[in-house]
Amino acid sequence: MTDILSKKLESKIDKKLISKSKRRELDDGFKKGKVINEVLDKPTVMTLYKMITDHVIAYVNGSVSAGKESVVFWGVAEDDSNVALKIYLVSTSNFKKREPYLTDDPRFRHVKKGTKNLVYLWAKKEYRNLSQCYDAGIPVPRPLYITKNVLTMDFVGVNGSPSKSLLTSEIEQNDYTQAISILKDLYHKAKLVHGDFSEYNIFKTDSGLVVFDLGSAVDLRHPNSKEFLKRDINNITRFFKKRGMIVKNSDDVFMEIVNEL
Ligand SMILES: Nc1ncnc2c1ncn2[C@@H]1O[C@H](COP(=O)(O)OP(=O)(O)O)[C@@H](O)[C@H]1O
Ligand SMILES: [Mg+2]
């Protein structure tokens, strides 16, 4: 990028940020098409602009979801395909409590305890987890790109509306079977435990379940991986039971997964 261009960009962003700070609180900041809003800090906006000038995406089309620690935007690539941009919020100090998920994972052994930029590492971790799953043939959104705190992946859904999660879908017995089989494949093929496996983090699409939100997933060698797996099984079993499905005993499922060769 030339200097002049980047200056222009800076001042453009500045203006947006100034006008933004004069606006009311968050509530009207999430209208479709309104990209630069209260949740994104300046470095993140710069990252998005850079992704546009680097042709990773063509533009950002609107917001999909706003959480405390991350927001998800709908972006469009130059070939018109829809992508999801999961942006981890840098200012969220809550990442501290996630440190053990990172530093106790052998893949991130080199990370020093007390590292400041945990948020970038967390984004990278989710990207790596997605890649490991995708390569192992597990149904996840295809990871496309990672830079700083912005993770780009295939958009699961239509026209900027994400597919329904299990929570808001009609449930059939086969969904339970699929969910357990995903847990198994995560363990044996991707060598991961999800860590936050629930009705909130699984899409039900026309072509089956798709699991996402893999930031918490850990390597099997993580000292707490078995405990996390137990929790994942308990959570999903509870959900399906509540929805009237026939479920296996959680402990039996655990033994089945862990002992299967
Ligand atoms: N790849 C995707 N395609 C479409 N929508 C997505 C995608 N990833 C996330 N979303 C939407 O954003 C929401 C939050 O994403 P998630 O990864 O679960 O973040 P959080 O950590 O905030 O729970 C999801 O419930 C879903 O509606
Ligand atoms: Mg989630």
Side-chain angles (χ1 to χ4, degrees):
M1 206 190 315
T2 66
D3 251 15
I4 298 167
L5 190 61
S6 87
K7 282 258 155 54
K8 265 193 183 159
L9 215 53
E10 281 256 17
S11 83
K12 211 165 151 188
I13 293 164
D14 274 342
K15 271 188 211 137
K16 298 241 185 191
L17 290 176
I18 290 162
S19 67
K20 170 203 92 173
S21 63
K22 287 183 188 153
R23 258 185 265 138
R24 275 177 295 116
E25 287 298 323
L26 209 136
D27 64 346
D28 74 339
F30 272 107
K31 281 182 186 149
K32 279 225 160 88
K34 192 185 275 183
V35 172
I36 297 171
N37 61 48
E38 284 77 2
V39 288
L40 301 186
D41 60 8
K42 200 169 153 183
T44 303
V45 175
M46 282 305 279
T47 302
L48 287 173
Y49 270 112
K50 187 161 187 315
M51 286 169 64
I52 293 170
T53 54
D54 286 350
H55 308 284
V56 176
I57 52 169
Y59 57 97
V60 183
N61 215 10
S63 66
V64 173
S65 126
K68 253 199 342 236
E69 287 162 5
S70 71
V71 292
V72 177
F73 282 98
W74 166 28
V76 178
E78 288 186 340
D79 65 357
D80 278 340
S81 60
N82 291 323
V83 299
L85 304 164
K86 182 165 179 179
I87 302 176
Y88 282 99
L89 301 176
V90 176
S91 56
T92 314
S93 57
N94 262 350
F95 279 95
K96 266 284 158 219
K97 73 167 189 281
R98 298 188 179 191
E99 191 169 304
Y101 283 81
L102 258 170
T103 47
D104 292 345
D105 188 310
R107 295 172 302 164
F108 290 86
R109 215 175 351 226
H110 61 282
V111 176
K112 292 198 195 76
K113 301 231 182 221
T115 300
K116 278 235 170 63
N117 275 340
L118 276 186
V119 68
Y120 293 161
L121 277 165
W122 194 263
K124 196 178 264 178
K125 180 168 186 251
E126 176 155 18
Y127 180 82
R128 279 184 66 173
N129 288 336
L130 277 173
S131 304
Q132 253 170 263
C133 291
Y134 186 77
D135 293 345
I138 294 160
V140 293
R142 179 169 58 120
L144 298 171
Y145 199 76
I146 181 73
T147 179
K148 304 272 181 75
N149 54 327
V150 181
L151 162 62
T152 309
M153 60 190 141
D154 274 351
F155 195 96
V156 181
V158 180
N159 286 333
S161 299
S163 295
K164 281 187 179 176
S165 67
L166 276 182
L167 178 73
T168 52
S169 299
E170 253 180 64
I171 300 303
E172 310 152 65
Q173 189 62 36
N174 181 252
D175 298 328
Y176 170 73
T177 313
Q178 275 186 54
I180 298 300
S181 133
I182 287 175
L183 276 178
K184 240 180 231 173
D185 286 347
L186 276 167
Y187 196 89
H188 290 286
K189 295 184 181 162
K191 313 286 181 201
L192 291 173
V193 171
H194 190 290
D196 196 10
F197 197 76
S198 77
E199 61 273 28
Y200 297 90
N201 291 328
I202 302 172
F203 291 123
K204 181 167 173 172
T205 76
D206 292 343
S207 49
L209 303 191
V210 175
V211 59
F212 64 100
D213 200 359
L214 278 120
S216 302
V218 297
D219 190 284
L220 296 188
R221 294 164 296 172
H222 187 288
N224 303 112
S225 68
K226 292 227 163 57
E227 183 197 317
F228 294 157
L229 176 62
K230 260 189 192 153
R231 198 176 59 193
D232 282 352
I233 296 169
N234 283 338
N235 287 342
I236 207 68
T237 301
R238 201 181 311 124
F239 167 75
F240 281 108
K241 197 171 169 194
K242 209 165 60 193
R243 291 292 184 93
M245 299 301 119
I246 302 161
V247 297
K248 288 195 217 166
N249 175 283
S250 293
D251 294 339
D252 293 348
V253 174
F254 176 78
M255 293 310 281
E256 215 179 281
I257 293 180
V258 172
N259 293 333
E260 187 183 288
L261 293 175

